[in-house]
Amino acid sequence: MTRRDAGDPHRLPPVIEATIRAVLDAAELDLTDGREEVERELRHHFEDGLGSGASAEELVRRFGDPEQAGRRIAQTRPRAAARGRGEIPGPWGSLDAWRGEMARAVRRLARSPGFSFVVVATLALGVGANTGIFTVLDAVLLEDLPYPEPDRLVRVFERSREDGTDFEYLRAPVVAEYRTWDEIFEEVASLYTYRETGADLTDGDRPVRVNLLRVSAGYFETLGIAPARGRVFLEEESTGPGEAATTRDLQARVVVVSHDLWRDHFGGDEDILGRTIRLDDESYEVVGVMPARMRDPFGAQAQLWMPQDLRPGGSNSFGNFYLSAVARLRSGITLEQARERGAALQEQWAAVEPEVADWTLELIPLHDDIVGDTRARMIWILAAAGILVLLTACLNVANLLVARGLRLDRPLALQSALGAGRSRLMASILAENGLLATAGGLAGLGVAWMSLEGLTLVAPAALPGIADVSMGPRAFVFALLVTVAALLLFGLAPALRLSRTAPADVLRAGDRSSTARRGSKRLRDGLVVAQVAVALVLVTGAALLSRSFSALTEVPLGIDSDGVLTFEVHLPDARYPEGEARHAFHRRFHERLRSLPQVESVGAISWLPVRGRYHTWGIQRPSEAESPDDPGSWRSSDVRVIAGDYFEALGIELVRGRAPREVDPAGEDVVWINETLAADVFGEVEPLEERISVNGDPRRIVGIVEDVPHDTRGETSRKLYLMHAQYHSNRNWAMTHVVRARPGTADALDPIRRVVSSLDGQLVVHRPRALGDILSDERAQDRFATSLMAAFAFLALALAVLGTYGLLSGSVSARTREIGIRMALGADGGSIRHMVLRYAAVITATGVVLGLAGAWLASGVLEVLLFGVEATSPWAYAPSVLLFLWVGVAAAWVPARRATRVDTVRVLTAD
């Protein structure tokens, strides 16, 4: 049978001509309804079929019933009369048509379950990652603080005129003065946040330790939180007449309890107001219950509050920096106005009070103070990384859809030729993409929820305690917006490509010469290049953070945390009023603990190492001072009070001198210093047996110990250690006990609790924790950033691998005929593999170059989170470049091998 009528080169075989006439007759089209256009498209379709080697009979058989096709055209092709009336039928104006289109989209996707799963899973990862990080971003940076008019709340600091640094803690007389500055402050309140405090509540069957926060009158009013029951503190309960003898000498023994404590411990007692409770063996009256929404801005959340005594005297002197302060600005005054007016008032006050002449007032928005610059930068960086992951996911999905669109080009073009308008075809594509986006968005919410659960396990201490990181309505709205954005990003590409390609061109051209396909190939190449570039930026950032975290974990801390258990036992003043009694308890307690078979050594300290600077006092080398009041001879040093075998229990090396057990507590007052203090204060002079003044108290140096950093980044400062046995009368020190367990022994916590109970049944073993866990919490922010960036980088890398593989696999499939011809002309398998690998190398290398530029630009932003790593070093990028070059080759290997297995005969003889 001839392929074409030999008499007329434009005339098709009779069987095809008859089919075309039957279609047009059944469609009942005239010239105004586009009869010529439909006939032209049908002829192009059959011409392409004949050109590919198919017989006329086979083409007619594939086409199907011409009368049924004509009826479809009659139903879908708009009539001229309808166009004249403006009644253009189609899915854009018909809800029923949209329903039908959606149903057809569901059926089409169901026939391609693998494709649908990959698209939905890819979108779920992109949407989920972004929704999860947005939830954190929203809770920490975007959400207002949980107080009325939070923009009026500020943290109050004193700034040194000498070096311009802000000092975190204030003095009680300074707070008292600021409370009188009514022209800028509506309320000013102080909090004792120098260290976390608590009390033993002994009103139940067994004593429990509760978190306690001492606050001045006006604290709750400053935050704008009213009690749910009763009242808060009165002015006279903080600043009444007289002077404060000690920090525990309160004007009134009253407390306000939290909603949770009232509900859980007191059973929601309706008669709680006026009830007397026992705290540290002393009586207090409950005067108020706070609402459940009450959140303290600093530190651990309190379970009860006591009045902070601001009366002059005792510890409330100009020399004692120990209070934090928060203020509410007067309505109508801006932060800048408050700063300017506060500076003027400070100058007036300094003229009459020399103690404040070297200090100025500094006000910081409370939200900014709680979040901190480094934490805010970290979250914004992670948010940007999440957006890059979403972009990578969208690029991958767009690539998949473009590839799918290439396979559907001819069916869609035929639909167009048979009467389906361009709007309908676009609606068909968008309906399918909309279903994929919706499924991906819903799955993304599940991924986001799981990611938030994982974040709380990875680093719960990395975020401020006041932030409520949980998925709410805003997270759902954000997920919806991200899903819509993703739909626009990946869904419009195939639709726009269709809108710019004439169906006649697709039906008329074959795979090898189609301009549209060449354009689609360039689009797919560009998408993969972008994927590689974005993924390289994320992988490089993750590599930098990983190296930084690794460097952080290798910082020598000067302690051995393995097998060390820490806990607190607080001795109430009511039962242990004298320092000698407190010392006797610690001595007996440690003796009993040493006798336990699980315990190797035991000691105690007033502040655990690597938890920041604490208790900074003035020290003086008497031989350098012309007089005790010589200001040039004073330096500062962190002070620690120790008991028992503290150095031994933590593995802190005694460089030289005597150990605490070798010193008689009843003899001369002694002190141990660290190597930094020895170098800074004594220089080349041997400090052993020298005397040093600690807050005006002269002591003999009997030992020098190795430096123990005050943070996990290895920062050290001057530090000295005092024996509790010689310093117990200074105050009731809150001691943290450290117990080193013998290797291979059982848990020592229960035996420790039994020892405490045998010594004093009303004491509580508070916050038992492994020292290693405490150190881990100190690295929480670094671990949080590293873990999240690594997860994002892994997702981006996986998507880039899939995208590259998909592109190369599709390219090999599209070039099957070309490869067959090359092999028929003598090309061997090696040259074919080389062709595919070269193509992969070009795509990958282009993406790597762009990614390196992006990574270099991002390094400046990332540098604030890095430790021990140079962000711009070439060695920081080399591993990522090598990884992606390897990824490109690996992704190309399988398609390259498949290309060499093309059946030449089958390809060349195929229809």
Side-chain angles (χ1 to χ4, degrees), residues 748-764:
L749 184 57
D750 286 339
I752 290 172
R753 284 197 171 106
R754 287 193 291 270
V755 170
V756 171
S757 181
S758 67
L759 293 174
D760 187 334
Q762 294 187 354
L763 295 179
V764 177

mmCIF file with all atom_site columns, all heavy atoms in Angstrom, residues 748-764:
data_model
loop_
_atom_site.group_PDB
_atom_site.id
_atom_site.type_symbol
_atom_site.label_atom_id
_atom_site.label_alt_id
_atom_site.label_comp_id
_atom_site.label_asym_id
_atom_site.label_entity_id
_atom_site.label_seq_id
_atom_site.pdbx_PDB_ins_code
_atom_site.Cartn_x
_atom_site.Cartn_y
_atom_site.Cartn_z
_atom_site.occupancy
_atom_site.B_iso_or_equiv
_atom_site.pdbx_formal_charge
_atom_site.auth_seq_id
_atom_site.auth_comp_id
_atom_site.auth_asym_id
_atom_site.auth_atom_id
_atom_site.pdbx_PDB_model_num
ATOM 1   N N   . ALA A 1 748 ? 23.872 5.967  90.811  1.00 0.00 ? 748 ALA A N   1
ATOM 2   C CA  . ALA A 1 748 ? 24.098 6.356  92.201  1.00 0.00 ? 748 ALA A CA  1
ATOM 3   C C   . ALA A 1 748 ? 23.034 7.297  92.737  1.00 0.00 ? 748 ALA A C   1
ATOM 4   O O   . ALA A 1 748 ? 23.081 7.671  93.914  1.00 0.00 ? 748 ALA A O   1
ATOM 5   C CB  . ALA A 1 748 ? 25.472 7.024  92.323  1.00 0.00 ? 748 ALA A CB  1
ATOM 6   N N   . LEU A 1 749 ? 22.044 7.694  91.918  1.00 0.00 ? 749 LEU A N   1
ATOM 7   C CA  . LEU A 1 749 ? 21.093 8.715  92.352  1.00 0.00 ? 749 LEU A CA  1
ATOM 8   C C   . LEU A 1 749 ? 20.229 8.242  93.524  1.00 0.00 ? 749 LEU A C   1
ATOM 9   O O   . LEU A 1 749 ? 20.046 8.979  94.502  1.00 0.00 ? 749 LEU A O   1
ATOM 10  C CB  . LEU A 1 749 ? 20.213 9.139  91.179  1.00 0.00 ? 749 LEU A CB  1
ATOM 11  C CG  . LEU A 1 749 ? 19.224 10.269 91.473  1.00 0.00 ? 749 LEU A CG  1
ATOM 12  C CD1 . LEU A 1 749 ? 19.939 11.510 91.993  1.00 0.00 ? 749 LEU A CD1 1
ATOM 13  C CD2 . LEU A 1 749 ? 18.412 10.604 90.217  1.00 0.00 ? 749 LEU A CD2 1
ATOM 14  N N   . ASP A 1 750 ? 19.697 7.044  93.438  1.00 0.00 ? 750 ASP A N   1
ATOM 15  C CA  . ASP A 1 750 ? 18.842 6.561  94.543  1.00 0.00 ? 750 ASP A CA  1
ATOM 16  C C   . ASP A 1 750 ? 19.615 6.455  95.859  1.00 0.00 ? 750 ASP A C   1
ATOM 17  O O   . ASP A 1 750 ? 19.106 6.899  96.909  1.00 0.00 ? 750 ASP A O   1
ATOM 18  C CB  . ASP A 1 750 ? 18.219 5.217  94.173  1.00 0.00 ? 750 ASP A CB  1
ATOM 19  C CG  . ASP A 1 750 ? 17.105 5.366  93.148  1.00 0.00 ? 750 ASP A CG  1
ATOM 20  O OD1 . ASP A 1 750 ? 16.560 6.484  93.031  1.00 0.00 ? 750 ASP A OD1 1
ATOM 21  O OD2 . ASP A 1 750 ? 16.782 4.384  92.453  1.00 0.00 ? 750 ASP A OD2 1
ATOM 22  N N   . PRO A 1 751 ? 20.839 5.890  95.864  1.00 0.00 ? 751 PRO A N   1
ATOM 23  C CA  . PRO A 1 751 ? 21.604 5.899  97.118  1.00 0.00 ? 751 PRO A CA  1
ATOM 24  C C   . PRO A 1 751 ? 21.876 7.307  97.637  1.00 0.00 ? 751 PRO A C   1
ATOM 25  O O   . PRO A 1 751 ? 21.856 7.548  98.849  1.00 0.00 ? 751 PRO A O   1
ATOM 26  C CB  . PRO A 1 751 ? 22.907 5.178  96.750  1.00 0.00 ? 751 PRO A CB  1
ATOM 27  C CG  . PRO A 1 751 ? 22.550 4.317  95.590  1.00 0.00 ? 751 PRO A CG  1
ATOM 28  C CD  . PRO A 1 751 ? 21.517 5.078  94.832  1.00 0.00 ? 751 PRO A CD  1
ATOM 29  N N   . ILE A 1 752 ? 22.114 8.268  96.737  1.00 0.00 ? 752 ILE A N   1
ATOM 30  C CA  . ILE A 1 752 ? 22.346 9.657  97.159  1.00 0.00 ? 752 ILE A CA  1
ATOM 31  C C   . ILE A 1 752 ? 21.098 10.208 97.835  1.00 0.00 ? 752 ILE A C   1
ATOM 32  O O   . ILE A 1 752 ? 21.181 10.876 98.879  1.00 0.00 ? 752 ILE A O   1
ATOM 33  C CB  . ILE A 1 752 ? 22.759 10.513 95.949  1.00 0.00 ? 752 ILE A CB  1
ATOM 34  C CG1 . ILE A 1 752 ? 24.163 10.123 95.474  1.00 0.00 ? 752 ILE A CG1 1
ATOM 35  C CG2 . ILE A 1 752 ? 22.697 12.003 96.288  1.00 0.00 ? 752 ILE A CG2 1
ATOM 36  C CD1 . ILE A 1 752 ? 24.577 10.778 94.174  1.00 0.00 ? 752 ILE A CD1 1
ATOM 37  N N   . ARG A 1 753 ? 19.938 9.946  97.250  1.00 0.00 ? 753 ARG A N   1
ATOM 38  C CA  . ARG A 1 753 ? 18.696 10.427 97.858  1.00 0.00 ? 753 ARG A CA  1
ATOM 39  C C   . ARG A 1 753 ? 18.504 9.823  99.248  1.00 0.00 ? 753 ARG A C   1
ATOM 40  O O   . ARG A 1 753 ? 18.028 10.498 100.175 1.00 0.00 ? 753 ARG A O   1
ATOM 41  C CB  . ARG A 1 753 ? 17.505 10.071 96.961  1.00 0.00 ? 753 ARG A CB  1
ATOM 42  C CG  . ARG A 1 753 ? 17.369 10.962 95.719  1.00 0.00 ? 753 ARG A CG  1
ATOM 43  C CD  . ARG A 1 753 ? 15.984 10.832 95.140  1.00 0.00 ? 753 ARG A CD  1
ATOM 44  N NE  . ARG A 1 753 ? 15.748 11.812 94.087  1.00 0.00 ? 753 ARG A NE  1
ATOM 45  C CZ  . ARG A 1 753 ? 15.701 11.541 92.790  1.00 0.00 ? 753 ARG A CZ  1
ATOM 46  N NH1 . ARG A 1 753 ? 15.902 10.294 92.376  1.00 0.00 ? 753 ARG A NH1 1
ATOM 47  N NH2 . ARG A 1 753 ? 15.469 12.495 91.914  1.00 0.00 ? 753 ARG A NH2 1
ATOM 48  N N   . ARG A 1 754 ? 18.863 8.557  99.407  1.00 0.00 ? 754 ARG A N   1
ATOM 49  C CA  . ARG A 1 754 ? 18.717 7.925  100.725 1.00 0.00 ? 754 ARG A CA  1
ATOM 50  C C   . ARG A 1 754 ? 19.652 8.562  101.751 1.00 0.00 ? 754 ARG A C   1
ATOM 51  O O   . ARG A 1 754 ? 19.283 8.738  102.918 1.00 0.00 ? 754 ARG A O   1
ATOM 52  C CB  . ARG A 1 754 ? 18.960 6.421  100.608 1.00 0.00 ? 754 ARG A CB  1
ATOM 53  C CG  . ARG A 1 754 ? 17.823 5.665  99.912  1.00 0.00 ? 754 ARG A CG  1
ATOM 54  C CD  . ARG A 1 754 ? 17.949 4.175  100.101 1.00 0.00 ? 754 ARG A CD  1
ATOM 55  N NE  . ARG A 1 754 ? 19.094 3.624  99.377  1.00 0.00 ? 754 ARG A NE  1
ATOM 56  C CZ  . ARG A 1 754 ? 19.032 3.171  98.132  1.00 0.00 ? 754 ARG A CZ  1
ATOM 57  N NH1 . ARG A 1 754 ? 17.896 3.239  97.456  1.00 0.00 ? 754 ARG A NH1 1
ATOM 58  N NH2 . ARG A 1 754 ? 20.110 2.673  97.546  1.00 0.00 ? 754 ARG A NH2 1
ATOM 59  N N   . VAL A 1 755 ? 20.866 8.931  101.292 1.00 0.00 ? 755 VAL A N   1
ATOM 60  C CA  . VAL A 1 755 ? 21.801 9.594  102.204 1.00 0.00 ? 755 VAL A CA  1
ATOM 61  C C   . VAL A 1 755 ? 21.242 10.942 102.645 1.00 0.00 ? 755 VAL A C   1
ATOM 62  O O   . VAL A 1 755 ? 21.273 11.292 103.836 1.00 0.00 ? 755 VAL A O   1
ATOM 63  C CB  . VAL A 1 755 ? 23.177 9.758  101.536 1.00 0.00 ? 755 VAL A CB  1
ATOM 64  C CG1 . VAL A 1 755 ? 24.072 10.658 102.372 1.00 0.00 ? 755 VAL A CG1 1
ATOM 65  C CG2 . VAL A 1 755 ? 23.844 8.397  101.326 1.00 0.00 ? 755 VAL A CG2 1
ATOM 66  N N   . VAL A 1 756 ? 20.723 11.721 101.686 1.00 0.00 ? 756 VAL A N   1
ATOM 67  C CA  . VAL A 1 756 ? 20.153 13.032 102.030 1.00 0.00 ? 756 VAL A CA  1
ATOM 68  C C   . VAL A 1 756 ? 18.998 12.871 102.995 1.00 0.00 ? 756 VAL A C   1
ATOM 69  O O   . VAL A 1 756 ? 18.891 13.603 104.002 1.00 0.00 ? 756 VAL A O   1
ATOM 70  C CB  . VAL A 1 756 ? 19.694 13.765 100.748 1.00 0.00 ? 756 VAL A CB  1
ATOM 71  C CG1 . VAL A 1 756 ? 18.914 15.028 101.100 1.00 0.00 ? 756 VAL A CG1 1
ATOM 72  C CG2 . VAL A 1 756 ? 20.889 14.116 99.876  1.00 0.00 ? 756 VAL A CG2 1
ATOM 73  N N   . SER A 1 757 ? 18.124 11.912 102.745 1.00 0.00 ? 757 SER A N   1
ATOM 74  C CA  . SER A 1 757 ? 16.964 11.699 103.618 1.00 0.00 ? 757 SER A CA  1
ATOM 75  C C   . SER A 1 757 ? 17.401 11.286 105.021 1.00 0.00 ? 757 SER A C   1
ATOM 76  O O   . SER A 1 757 ? 16.777 11.677 106.012 1.00 0.00 ? 757 SER A O   1
ATOM 77  C CB  . SER A 1 757 ? 16.054 10.632 103.011 1.00 0.00 ? 757 SER A CB  1
ATOM 78  O OG  . SER A 1 757 ? 14.922 10.420 103.817 1.00 0.00 ? 757 SER A OG  1
ATOM 79  N N   . SER A 1 758 ? 18.467 10.510 105.118 1.00 0.00 ? 758 SER A N   1
ATOM 80  C CA  . SER A 1 758 ? 18.920 10.088 106.442 1.00 0.00 ? 758 SER A CA  1
ATOM 81  C C   . SER A 1 758 ? 19.521 11.253 107.232 1.00 0.00 ? 758 SER A C   1
ATOM 82  O O   . SER A 1 758 ? 19.462 11.264 108.463 1.00 0.00 ? 758 SER A O   1
ATOM 83  C CB  . SER A 1 758 ? 19.954 8.970  106.295 1.00 0.00 ? 758 SER A CB  1
ATOM 84  O OG  . SER A 1 758 ? 21.147 9.457  105.694 1.00 0.00 ? 758 SER A OG  1
ATOM 85  N N   . LEU A 1 759 ? 20.077 12.247 106.524 1.00 0.00 ? 759 LEU A N   1
ATOM 86  C CA  . LEU A 1 759 ? 20.646 13.400 107.212 1.00 0.00 ? 759 LEU A CA  1
ATOM 87  C C   . LEU A 1 759 ? 19.585 14.448 107.547 1.00 0.00 ? 759 LEU A C   1
ATOM 88  O O   . LEU A 1 759 ? 19.641 15.089 108.595 1.00 0.00 ? 759 LEU A O   1
ATOM 89  C CB  . LEU A 1 759 ? 21.735 14.049 106.339 1.00 0.00 ? 759 LEU A CB  1
ATOM 90  C CG  . LEU A 1 759 ? 22.995 13.203 106.121 1.00 0.00 ? 759 LEU A CG  1
ATOM 91  C CD1 . LEU A 1 759 ? 23.922 13.901 105.128 1.00 0.00 ? 759 LEU A CD1 1
ATOM 92  C CD2 . LEU A 1 759 ? 23.727 12.972 107.442 1.00 0.00 ? 759 LEU A CD2 1
ATOM 93  N N   . ASP A 1 760 ? 18.628 14.655 106.635 1.00 0.00 ? 760 ASP A N   1
ATOM 94  C CA  . ASP A 1 760 ? 17.556 15.626 106.854 1.00 0.00 ? 760 ASP A CA  1
ATOM 95  C C   . ASP A 1 760 ? 16.409 15.254 105.925 1.00 0.00 ? 760 ASP A C   1
ATOM 96  O O   . ASP A 1 760 ? 16.498 15.464 104.704 1.00 0.00 ? 760 ASP A O   1
ATOM 97  C CB  . ASP A 1 760 ? 18.053 17.051 106.558 1.00 0.00 ? 760 ASP A CB  1
ATOM 98  C CG  . ASP A 1 760 ? 17.033 18.117 106.943 1.00 0.00 ? 760 ASP A CG  1
ATOM 99  O OD1 . ASP A 1 760 ? 15.822 17.806 106.969 1.00 0.00 ? 760 ASP A OD1 1
ATOM 100 O OD2 . ASP A 1 760 ? 17.441 19.262 107.195 1.00 0.00 ? 760 ASP A OD2 1
ATOM 101 N N   . GLY A 1 761 ? 15.360 14.710 106.477 1.00 0.00 ? 761 GLY A N   1
ATOM 102 C CA  . GLY A 1 761 ? 14.246 14.206 105.676 1.00 0.00 ? 761 GLY A CA  1
ATOM 103 C C   . GLY A 1 761 ? 13.466 15.262 104.931 1.00 0.00 ? 761 GLY A C   1
ATOM 104 O O   . GLY A 1 761 ? 12.644 14.926 104.067 1.00 0.00 ? 761 GLY A O   1
ATOM 105 N N   . GLN A 1 762 ? 13.690 16.551 105.245 1.00 0.00 ? 762 GLN A N   1
ATOM 106 C CA  . GLN A 1 762 ? 12.949 17.611 104.565 1.00 0.00 ? 762 GLN A CA  1
ATOM 107 C C   . GLN A 1 762 ? 13.729 18.235 103.414 1.00 0.00 ? 762 GLN A C   1
ATOM 108 O O   . GLN A 1 762 ? 13.237 19.161 102.775 1.00 0.00 ? 762 GLN A O   1
ATOM 109 C CB  . GLN A 1 762 ? 12.577 18.702 105.578 1.00 0.00 ? 762 GLN A CB  1
ATOM 110 C CG  . GLN A 1 762 ? 11.598 18.220 106.644 1.00 0.00 ? 762 GLN A CG  1
ATOM 111 C CD  . GLN A 1 762 ? 11.126 19.355 107.533 1.00 0.00 ? 762 GLN A CD  1
ATOM 112 O OE1 . GLN A 1 762 ? 11.610 20.479 107.424 1.00 0.00 ? 762 GLN A OE1 1
ATOM 113 N NE2 . GLN A 1 762 ? 10.184 19.062 108.406 1.00 0.00 ? 762 GLN A NE2 1
ATOM 114 N N   . LEU A 1 763 ? 14.923 17.747 103.140 1.00 0.00 ? 763 LEU A N   1
ATOM 115 C CA  . LEU A 1 763 ? 15.714 18.289 102.040 1.00 0.00 ? 763 LEU A CA  1
ATOM 116 C C   . LEU A 1 763 ? 15.395 17.566 100.731 1.00 0.00 ? 763 LEU A C   1
ATOM 117 O O   . LEU A 1 763 ? 14.936 16.418 100.732 1.00 0.00 ? 763 LEU A O   1
ATOM 118 C CB  . LEU A 1 763 ? 17.204 18.168 102.340 1.00 0.00 ? 763 LEU A CB  1
ATOM 119 C CG  . LEU A 1 763 ? 17.718 18.989 103.530 1.00 0.00 ? 763 LEU A CG  1
ATOM 120 C CD1 . LEU A 1 763 ? 19.210 18.757 103.727 1.00 0.00 ? 763 LEU A CD1 1
ATOM 121 C CD2 . LEU A 1 763 ? 17.435 20.476 103.335 1.00 0.00 ? 763 LEU A CD2 1
ATOM 122 N N   . VAL A 1 764 ? 15.637 18.253 99.650  1.00 0.00 ? 764 VAL A N   1
ATOM 123 C CA  . VAL A 1 764 ? 15.314 17.733 98.324  1.00 0.00 ? 764 VAL A CA  1
ATOM 124 C C   . VAL A 1 764 ? 16.584 17.663 97.482  1.00 0.00 ? 764 VAL A C   1
ATOM 125 O O   . VAL A 1 764 ? 17.385 18.610 97.474  1.00 0.00 ? 764 VAL A O   1
ATOM 126 C CB  . VAL A 1 764 ? 14.291 18.647 97.609  1.00 0.00 ? 764 VAL A CB  1
ATOM 127 C CG1 . VAL A 1 764 ? 13.995 18.155 96.200  1.00 0.00 ? 764 VAL A CG1 1
ATOM 128 C CG2 . VAL A 1 764 ? 13.003 18.746 98.427  1.00 0.00 ? 764 VAL A CG2 1
#
